[in-house]
Structures are given as C-alpha cells and as structure tokens.
Amino acid sequence: MARSTSKDAQALFQSLRSAYAATPTNLKIIDLYVVFAVLTAAIQIVYMAIVGSFPFNSFLSGVLSCIGTAVLAVCLRIQVNKDNKEFKDLPPERAFADFVLCNLVLHLVIMNFLG
Amino acid sequence: MSKLVHLLGFVTLNVFLLPFLCKSFSPETPTDRRVLVLLDDLAIQSSHSLFFKSLQSRGFDLDFKLAYDPKISLQRYGQYLYDALILFSPTIEGFGGSIDQAAILDFVDSGHDLIIGADANASDLIREIATECGVDFDEDSNALVIDHTSYAVSDTEGDHTLIASDDFINSNVILGSKKIEAPVLFQGIGHTINPTSSLVLKVLSASPSAYSANPKSKLSSPPSLTGSAISLVSIVQARNNARVLISGSLSIFSNRFFRSGVQKAGSAIKHEKSGNEQFLTELSKWVFHERGHLKAVNVRHHKVGEADEPAVYRINDDLEYSIDIYEWSGTSWEPYVADDVQLQFYMMSPYVLKTLSTDQKGHYFTSFKVPDVYGVFQFKVEYNRLGYTSLSLSKQIPVRPFRHNEYERFIPAAYPYYGAAFSMMAGFFVFTAIYLYNK
Amino acid sequence: MAASETSNGTTLRHAFGNVFALFILLLIGVLAFSIRLFSVIKYESVIHEFDPYFNYRVTQFLTKKGIYDFWNWFDDRTWYPLGRVIGGTVFPGLTLTAGTIWWIVNSLNIPLSVETVCVFTAPIFSAFASWATYLLTKEVKGVGAGLTAAALLAMVPSYISRSVAGSYDNEAVAIFALIFTFYLYIKTLNTGSLFYATLNAIAYFYMVCSWGGYTFIINLIPMHVLLCIVTGRYSSRLYIAYAPLVVLGTLLAALVPVVGFNAVMTSEHFASFLVFIIIHVVALVYYIKGVLSPRMFKVAVTLVLSVGLVVCFAVIAVLVALVASSPTKGWSGRSLSLLDPTYASKYIPIIASVSEHQPPTWPSYFMDINVLAFLVPAGIIACFSPLSDASSFVILYIVTSVYFSGVMVRLMLVLAPAACIMSGIALSEAFEVFTRSIKFQLPGAPIDSQVDAGDKSSDNTTAQNDVAKTEKSEDTIKERPSRKNKKKEKEPVGQPSVKSRFEKRLLVLPLEASILAIFLLVLLGAFYVVHSVWAAAEAYSAPSIVLTSHSHDGLHVFDDFREAYAWLSHNTEVDDKVASWWDYGYQTTAMANRTVIVDNNTWNNTHIATVGTAMSSPEKAAWEIFNSLDVKYVLVVFGGLVGYPSDDINKFLWMVRIGGGVFPHIKEPDYLRDGQYRIDSQATPTMLNCLMYKLSYYRFVETDGKGFDRVRRTEIGKKYFKLNYFEEVFTTHHWMVRIYKLKPPKNRIRGKTKKSKSKTSSKTGKRSGTKKNPWH
C-alpha cells in the first residue's frame, strides 16, 4: 500500500513537472516573481516569531506588501494566460497596465504605513 | 469763576485726603486699620484700656461705640467702614443701627476679622453668632467654668470660678515665639468646638479637671461640658482667611487681670504678672493678620530650556514650576521660608507629588517630567499649616499625546521590514523590465 | 439595405436612449437633492440632532487649522478631565469630505460658510448614492432596472431620515460609499479587470474612513465569495475581484487611525482572511486540475487531503485558542449586540439605552421602505432567473440586511439600498412582461420572427406604438426603461436573448390584464412617491434642536436649547465646566463652547456612570462628586411644563442603571415604587431626594400652583423644597433647559447647637439682665 502511494506520489510529481515545463516563458517569469515574494514574506514571519512584533505596523506593511505583490502577480498571470478562455479578448497590454497601476497604489500605501 | 474755585478746592481736598483713604485695609497691606469696638457699657473703655492701648500703639484706629447706639453701622452704600470688629458686649440682645447677626456674619464672610468677648450672662445673640462661627457655648446660661484643682489662688474669689490655665496651643505663629511663662487668668463661660471642623482651634483649653456648671446651685446631674474638651479661648480661620477670636470671658481682657499676679493652685510658683497681657497681645496680632498671613505670587511654569509659558504640554516633557510665597510681618512682606510646600500634578488624583525646594528667599521651585498619561491636569498647591492662611492655588493645563510625527522615525527592530518592502519595490521594477523585454 | 437602415436606426435609438438615460439620471439626482430640503424650507439651514454638532465642530476645526492639526487634535474641552484624542477616535471621512468641498468652493471664490457646506453635504451625496445605485443595478440586470432602482433610492424614506439637509452624520456619505464599493466589486466580478479591483479597494478605503458599518462590507463580500465557490461558480474573475481587495483593503483599513490594528486583530475581519485562504486553495486546486490528467489529479487529491487536513486542524486549533482567550471572543461590543440581540441589554446598558439600537416594530418597516416591502420578494425571484454572480450577491445582500435591520432600527438604513435594488429589478421585470404582452397583442403587430433583424424591425414598429401609448401612462419613467431593457438584451451575451425569445413565447398575458396591471403598478409607484414626500416633509425633517407645535393660536416655536447654550456662552467663563447627561455633550461643546464632562461618544463608561451616580444621589453627595470633577454648572432638560417627552426625568432610569452598573450603592429598585417609576406623591423617598428630581422640579409649583407635570400627567410629589448646595442661575422660556450653579463651600462651619427660632430680630437696642460690673 505504501509502495503504491509512494509510486503514485512519484508519478504525480513527474506529471506535474512535465505539465509545468509546457507553460510559456512569460508565465514562468511571473511564477518566479511570485515565489520570490512569498519567500520574503515567510522570512519576515520567521523574524517576527523570533523578535516579537514590536513595530507591528512595519511588520504588517512588510508582510502585506509581499503578499500583495504575490496576489497581483497571480492576477496578471490569470489575465495573460492564453489557456484562460474568459480573458481571450483582453489585450495583454491592458492587463499589464492595470497590473502596474495596482502595484503603484499598493506601494504608495505600503510607504505610508511603513513608518 | 467761583465754580472753578470750588472745583479746585474740591480736587485739592481729595488729593490731600487720598493718602489717608489709602491707608485702609487692602490685599497689599492686609493688616486691619479701622476697628469698630462695640461695648455695652462705656466703662469698659477705661477698664480694659491696657488692651486697647496695645492695639492703638500698633497703629489701629479704634472707634468706640455703644452696642445699642442707633447710629452705628458697618457699611454705607456697599462699602465697609471698618476692617475689623470687636464685640465686648456680652449682654446685648439686639444691636442698634443697621447691625444684626446677619450683618456681622456677612462682615466676616467678606474677609474681615472679629473678636467676640462673651461672659457669664452672655445673651442669645452673642451665643448664636459664636455658634455660626463654629463654637458652642454651654447651653445653661448660668454655667461658669469651675475648676477645683487649677483655680487661681486668690483672697476674694472662693468658688473656684477664677481659674489659671496654661494649656496653650502649641504654635509659634499664633502665640508668638516667646514662651508665655505665667498662666492666664480666666473667669467666664466655657465652650466646645465642632470636632469635625478643621477651621476652629482651641487656643486656651481648660484642664482635665474643669467642668462647666452653675456655681450657685448644687449639681443635680453630671455636667455636660467637662475636662479638656472645654475651650476657654478659641480661634476660627474661615475659608476666606477671615479670623475670629472667641473668648468665654470679658474680664480676661481687663486691666485688673493684666496687672494682677497669679498663682496656680497646687503650684508653688507665684508669678508677679499674669500671662494675660502677653497672651492676648500676641493673639490679637495673629487675629489682625500681623502674623501668619501668606500670599503666593508669580506662579510660573515652563518647559526646561524655554522661558515662556506654553498653552499645552506633551507627555514626557520636562517642565519647571516656580512660585513665590511671602508672609506679612505687620509692616511689609517678608519671604516665607518653609520646607514643606508641596506641588501636585493632579488629574482626579495626584500623578506627581513633589516638595518644592526653596532658595530661602521665598522662591520655591521644582522640576519634573510630565507623566505618560494625557488629559487635562492641574498644578495644585494646597498649603494648610496650623495658624497660617490657607494657600489653594490651581492652574489648569492640558497635556497632549504625541503627534504623528513625534515618534521615532526609524525603529532599528523594523529594518528587515523596511528592507522587505523596498526589495519588493525593486523586484517589481526588475520584473517589469524583464517581462516587457522578454522575447 | 434594410439591414443597414435598421442598424442605423438601432444606433440612433441607442444614442437617443443613452442621452435620455443620462437626462433621467440627472433628474433623479435633482429629485434626491430637493426632497431633502424640507427642513431648510420649514425651519432654517441649521444642523440637526446631537451627533452632527460634533461633526460640525470637527469640520470647523479642520477648516480653521488645517489637516495636520486636525490629525493630531487633542480635545481638552470634552470628557473633562480625561480629554479625547480626536484624531484617533473619529471616522475622518465625513469631515474630510466636507472640508474638501468647502476648500474647493472657497478657492473658487464662492463664499459659502462651513455650516452651509455641512448642512448640504448629505443631500449632495444622496444624489451620488442614487447614481451609484443605478450603476450597481445596471451591472446586475440592466439599464431599466438601474433607473428604477435609482429613482426608488432617491425617495426611500429610510435613507431620507438619515440624510436630510442638516443631518450631517457619517451615514450621509457612508451609504454612497457602500453602494459604490458594491458596484465596483460587481463590476470587477463581471469584467475581471484589475483596474476595477484597484478602484474597488480605494472605494472600500473611503468607506472605512466614513463609517463603522464598513465591517458589513468586509463580511458580506467574503460570504458571497464562499457562496460562489460552494455553488460551483468559481472563476478566475472571482479571484481577481476578491484577493487584491483583501490585501489592499486590509492595508488601507489599517491606515485609518480609528481602525488601526483592529483591521487584523478583531473577529470582524477574520472572515475575510479565512475566505482569502480558502480561495487560494480553491484556485490552486483548479489550476492543478487543469494541468494534470484526471487519474493523477485523484492521486494529488488524496495526498493533499491527508497532509492538508492535519495542518488545517493545527491552525484552526491555534486560532480558536487565541479567540477564545479574549472575553468577547474578539468581537467588539457593538458587533456582538448585532449577532446576539439580547447581549447589549444584559451587559452594556449604554448601548441598550440608545433608542436607535432597539429592534424595529413592524409598522416601522412600512414607514421606512413602504411599497418596497412588497416588491422585494418579487425581486428576489427575478434575480434567480437567470442567476449570475451579481444577482446572487444582491440576494445575499438583501437577506443579511433584512436580518440586521430586524436587530437594530438604525440598520434599516443598510436595508434601504438593497430593497431599492430588488424592487427596481422587480418593477422593471414586471413592466417588461406587461409591455411585451401588450406589444404582442396589439392589432397590426407582426408575429415575432426567428431572425434577430426581424426582431429589431418588430421592435421598431412596436416602439412607435409604444410612443403612442405614452400619452396614456402617467409615469413615463417606468415606461421607457422597459424599451431600453429590450434593447439591452441584444448585447453580445448571446444566451439571454435566446432564452428571452422563448420567454416571450411563454409569458404573454391577456391584453386587458396587462394594461390594468401596468396601471396598477403605476398607481403603486404613485403611492410610494406620495408617501415618501409626506415622510420627508412631516416626519423626518425636524431638527430636534428647534421644536414646533401647532395649537389653536397658531404655531409655537420652542427654541429653548439654543437659548440655553447662548446663555452659557455669554454668562460663564471660558474655562467653566458644565455637567449634563451625555446626550447634550456635543451640542454644549459646539454651540456653547464650554468644557463638558461626558458627551455622546460614550467611550468611557465609568465617567458616564459617575455623572449618573451624581444625578441619582442626594444633594450633598452629588455636590461632592461634581466638586471633585471641578464642575461649575449643571444642566438638566425638563419637559414637564410644555409636554416635551424626551427630557431627563424620562431618561432617569437609564442614569440609575448605568450608574448602578459601576457604583453598586445605587440600586434601581430604590427608585421604583412596586416596580413602577413614579414622581408623584407615591414615589420613593430616594427618588424624591435625588438631585435629578430636585433640579427638574425646583420652583415648578410656582408655574401653576399645583405642579402638574404634563409629560408624566400627575402632580409632583415634593412641591416645596430648597436647594442647599446648588443655586438656579437660568431657566429657559418654556422651562425646557434649567442651569444650576454649584455653591462654593461654606465659609464658616457651624457649631453643633441647633438653630433656635429667631427672636433676635424683634429685640433691637435692648440689653438683658443685669449689667456686670466691668471693674470686677
């Protein structure tokens, strides 16, 4: 039973990796960006767990900037992904422009909340 | 032309009289000047002349009037004509003129001083005035203070109503710095004071063996007033610092008692002169504000390093507070030196309580840090010492919390978060560059 | 040729229709603005009630001192001696909005005073709110429903009651922000554009700035997302609509000082975080499902489930432990009283005592939303066919708001937009059915063809026929939208038009029935309009600062409140402190400009209980309490002479309850005789001796000789008494406001001997008994 589950798990990972390799490059760039953001968030949470949450607003703004960046990047990925039928007539420039605007607002708020 | 001459004459007369008018009582010179003395018998003027002369020698203008004189009055057109009142009329049932109990009490409530001398047949009016001031005479109108162990040895008085008492209040302000060696001769009625009142003090108490009863009749029930609870001479300092002296004996002020010698029963010492003159002279100095009268001026507070008074403080500010206190010496204001003046920084309860340090010249100061609580605080100085006028100063000042830009700008513990946020922004720029130019 | 002609005709009609819709919207805005002006016409341009006076004072400060001083303002003239940090405890949206309008207007050299701007802010924003309702309903159902809903919202009495000219309170701008936020959410959901998601977050920020009711949004939207996921309507548009809103919205909410860290720490926000996690899980699942083959997917599912469940349990256990450790489970008192309607009356008497927080009665539903109460269920059904994301959202909105409005009268205001949207949908659908029935049964109307062009031509002819019909109907607004509704069905979304053609075949009613039905619906609308105008003019336009009454000799105006405040501001020192019950705190600081002890913010229960205890105590104890707070003047409101029912004697039991909640020596049964609250001769001695009784009825017997209290309808119990520690300094013209001063402490303390009946006055110039020889 265990052997079958572990073999299944391996097969699962193989199929996942092969499926992922098929994604276009720009989506892979976005995914890398998302991973970077989530990692930074994780580092900050670990730091907070060690040191304590004294300047809580700085902690919140740091973590939320990472999470926000990740979320917005995922939104961009959804909109730009050609497999997504709902967005097939959305020009990618428009999607990117929206993404930039949203990030600008996000970073403005982060700067305000940081100090 | 004649009208102009009249006008000129009027003006010069006024200018001439002005200095005299200014010599009256004012807060700058708190000693009373014009005293109305109400007597029920003009003979008192001569029989108590030593006491009156001691007052006149200190600069008081005594105005002797009969208590039932229909032309006496304390005030005219809203202005008081006198600064103090001495009532040596124990038998009077109703005053003449416009004076009555309410007028006398208003006189005291407007800041003027009063000396009441009651005696063996004190009328109800005098007793009522004394009760209003906080002192209760014995309800039995025939009772005198009798003391069978501390009476004054004498040839004539055999019923021990003439007592010699030396149970003085322990206060240099009230009785002067010189100790009164001889006991004081007293013959009259006793009174008690309201124990809950902080305004009344016993200056001369009876000994523990004294009691108040009718000397001519046998005692049918135990006397109501006994022991040291009986006060022979009391003082009252009202909240507006008017001072009242109430004595149960008129003869305590008389020349006869001033001059006579005294020997207390049970003591071998025979004093040549009783302590009455010294006692009453010193006491009258206190009553007429020649001693123990304080004023506080120049209340100042400012932040450390600045000179002018701010309208609002911030929490955790450092501030300095200073005040000048002077005492009236009878002729001028002298610096008051003490080490127990305290300042409270008060908001429903004192957050900071500091004893003010002094430079021995009447200037008191301190500095402290504003507490970490915001609100509307008061600088409170409450100074109530025995025999001194009460100082009650309070100044309101708000204390605000930090403004949004008064916090620390960059907190070291938060550098990782700053770093993360900026790295996100940098990553965003890099990402857009790569994404846009990726082919 | 015919096709191009018809297409030209269609585009012309489209353009004409759009212009017409714009014109109608403008008229709706003017209607919304003008129906709220009754109070200005009947009374004067004055600020109403109590809370608006505080907002007005804050706005004055903002316009005078600028935004930085406003942001850091520490107010030392209220809650003496604690003070209040205004910057951190007020919702700045309303004051910043009015301040901005004032600043813009003044820099254009139009000299409007701050008061004028404050008075008229609410009507202006109600016009904006009706436009936002149009936009929202247009997203759900179409232009016709949108215009109907906007017209209904412009007049709905519940909204009028809180946004009449002069009612300068948070809800005036908050309802606009609420509807606008919902509109942007639905728009993002429908289009999936990140641009609208950004705008949504900013609109949510404006809502957080404006009103404490923003928690409704941050709980309703996650509920809707969860509903969509559960009903299988997950799509990536949902993710785009929700996830950025949570992140940006939390950040923006934390920026507002009042909310601060509550945005992440209180239970009111936990729902949004929970759904945030859930939606990520769901998105990941969908992504992997799309990428893998079905067999692999099953394997993935089993693997993830086993691991994920363990992690989930651990996290939830931690969360529950955290939340359970706080006594209110992390919810604020007001939110808890919403969830559990009996909570406030048990634990927080201050919240329970406010009349706006009581549950509404059934008649108040009819008074406040009138005809819409009947149309809402029809609208709900109309939303189900077809059920889209937007219509499921509106259904959820109406259901939750009906529940909350049943808990607290004040929240009828949140119900009003939902009811208007539903009713608008219902009305426009009904009109659509009826006019279609009429169209198909008119003589000369061609039977519908299968071709789209054919449909258009039939629409053309029936349009002319409908034009002919317009003269008959009284309410043109209801007629035109139905035409536009039909045009909108030709939009690129192909599905509904096929359905509607089928519907057209099915839903055809007899001609007479539909004509009659249209007439009746128009009549219903007319009743609604008449009722709304009546409610606006008579019921909701009273500024409670000025009262009027009609009697046989004309109109009486009671301006006692302003008289009292003017007296205070002219006859007392600037630093004098005035104590009164907390209702009048804002008005006293704003109009009389004096420091008060407690005011309507009610943030410090102990302070209020202190004042309540003082009012319930005998004179001496009350004097002690007030003296310890440095109070100089005490103000009471008394309605017994004129019959004003909201006076302090009627509120007195709440003072006892609140005071007794903190100081146990005040017991409510002491003031009641056999459980009844009386002030006549049967009242308890505690009641007859308490300060509130004495201050209200001092010298009252002098007015009519008997002391008949018109509100309580009895003669008072203790008629002749003196005040020893207070002195009366001012009573207004109709005895409605009475001001007393604390007497300073007595100069001399009397001895213990009882006062004898005075014989002294009779004897003057006499001496008693025998003279004592002074020489002895």
Side-chain angles (χ1 to χ4, degrees), chain B residues 40-41 43-44 46-48 68 91-95 101 105 108-109 119 121 123-125 128 131-136 139 194-195 197-199 238-240 251 256 347-348 374-376 378 396 398-404, chain C residues 68-69 71-85 575 577 595 603 607 628-630 745-756 759-761 763-776:
Chain B
D40 55 359
D41 184 351
I44 296 179
S46 37
S47 70
H48 291 56
Y68 49 86
T91 59
I92 197 73
E93 298 254 342
F95 291 101
Q101 176 187 340
L105 294 173
V108 171
D109 283 340
D119 213 333
N121 36 17
S123 66
D124 282 335
L125 176 61
E128 190 57 34
T131 309
E132 283 290 336
C133 294
V135 151
D136 296 309
E139 284 170 3
N194 187 350
S197 164
S198 55
L199 305 173
R239 280 191 226 267
N240 60 353
S251 36
R256 191 166 66 95
M347 177 173 83
M348 296 202 291
Y374 58 80
V376 182
Q378 291 175 346
Q396 179 176 308
V399 170
R400 66 169 174 85
F402 284 116
R403 285 175 78 97
H404 71 281
Chain C
Y68 280 119
D69 278 336
W71 205 250
N72 290 304
W73 186 18
F74 171 67
D75 189 15
D76 56 341
R77 292 184 77 79
T78 90
W79 293 95
Y80 182 84
L82 305 166
R84 178 182 171 186
V85 180
D575 270 338
K577 283 79 180 165
T595 312
W603 67 270
H607 225 51
S628 73
L629 290 172
D630 298 329
K746 286 211 187 55
N747 195 24
R748 297 163 281 106
I749 300 182
R750 227 191 106 82
K752 288 226 150 104
T753 314
K754 292 271 181 292
K755 229 186 227 190
S756 60
K759 313 173 288 198
T760 50
S761 53
K763 300 183 190 164
T764 51
K766 275 210 259 170
R767 295 170 293 153
S768 75
T770 53
K771 264 195 309 184
K772 194 162 182 277
N773 188 348
W775 292 99
H776 287 186

Side-chain angles (χ1 to χ4, degrees), chain B residues 35-49 51-52 55 62-70 72 85-96 99 115 117 126 250 253, chain C residues 765-767 771-772 774:
Chain B
V35 185
L36 173 64
V37 185
L38 291 181
L39 316 165
D40 55 359
D41 184 351
L42 276 177
I44 296 179
Q45 188 173 356
S46 37
S47 70
H48 291 56
S49 60
F51 176 65
F52 294 132
L55 290 180
L62 299 181
D63 198 1
F64 296 92
K65 290 270 195 313
L66 279 176
Y68 49 86
D69 188 343
I72 53 175
L85 178 62
I86 297 181
L87 290 180
F88 278 175
S89 50
T91 59
I92 197 73
E93 298 254 342
F95 291 101
I99 301 185
I115 295 183
I126 295 288
L250 194 53
F253 295 93
Chain C
K766 275 210 259 170
R767 295 170 293 153
K771 264 195 309 184
K772 194 162 182 277

Side-chain angles (χ1 to χ4, degrees), chain A residues 1-72:
Chain A
M1 201 51 209
R3 294 246 2 239
S4 67
T5 45
S6 73
K7 237 202 337 209
D8 277 342
Q10 278 185 343
L12 177 66
F13 283 131
Q14 287 285 12
S15 59
L16 270 178
R17 202 183 307 164
S18 59
Y20 190 68
T23 57
T25 335
N26 56 350
L27 293 185
K28 283 214 191 110
I29 296 177
I30 298 181
D31 290 336
L32 202 62
Y33 184 49
V34 170
V35 166
F36 158 65
V38 172
L39 271 180
T40 322
I43 294 177
Q44 285 180 75
I45 295 182
V46 167
Y47 175 74
M48 193 270 293
I50 298 178
V51 171
S53 69
F54 161 53
F56 194 58
N57 56 332
S58 312
F59 163 68
L60 261 189
S61 76
V63 169
L64 282 179
S65 83
C66 300
I67 296 185
T69 317
V71 163
L72 290 178

Side-chain angles (χ1 to χ4, degrees), chain C residues 206-347:
Chain C
Y206 184 53
M207 179 70 190
V208 173
C209 281
S210 307
W211 198 30
Y214 75 92
T215 50
F216 182 61
I217 299 186
I218 203 63
N219 281 309
L220 185 64
I221 292 185
M223 236 195 286
H224 176 244
V225 169
L226 207 56
L227 182 72
C228 282
I229 291 176
V230 163
T231 55
R233 300 184 68 92
Y234 171 78
S235 66
S236 41
R237 284 174 293 121
L238 191 70
Y239 181 85
I240 294 181
Y242 184 65
L245 172 68
V246 168
V247 177
L248 265 180
T250 311
L251 262 180
L252 287 168
L255 268 186
V256 179
V258 184
V259 177
F261 297 145
N262 286 347
V264 290
M265 309 256 273
T266 54
S267 300
E268 280 122 357
H269 290 89
F270 280 168
S272 58
F273 300 140
L274 191 66
V275 176
F276 185 67
I277 296 177
I278 290 179
I279 202 175
H280 274 95
V281 169
V282 170
L284 198 64
V285 165
Y286 270 91
Y287 171 69
I288 293 187
K289 190 173 185 181
V291 159
L292 290 179
S293 63
R295 187 187 66 92
M296 286 287 107
F297 182 62
K298 274 204 211 95
V299 170
V301 163
T302 43
L303 198 64
V304 164
L305 267 182
S306 47
V307 173
L309 269 176
V310 173
V311 173
C312 231
F313 272 134
V315 167
I316 289 185
V318 167
L319 206 65
V320 164
L322 265 178
V323 162
S325 60
S326 86
T328 59
K329 313 283 180 286
W331 295 87
S332 77
R334 292 195 186 209
S335 311
L336 266 178
S337 63
L338 277 183
L339 293 176
D340 173 16
T342 59
Y343 179 79
S345 50
K346 276 188 279 181
Y347 295 106

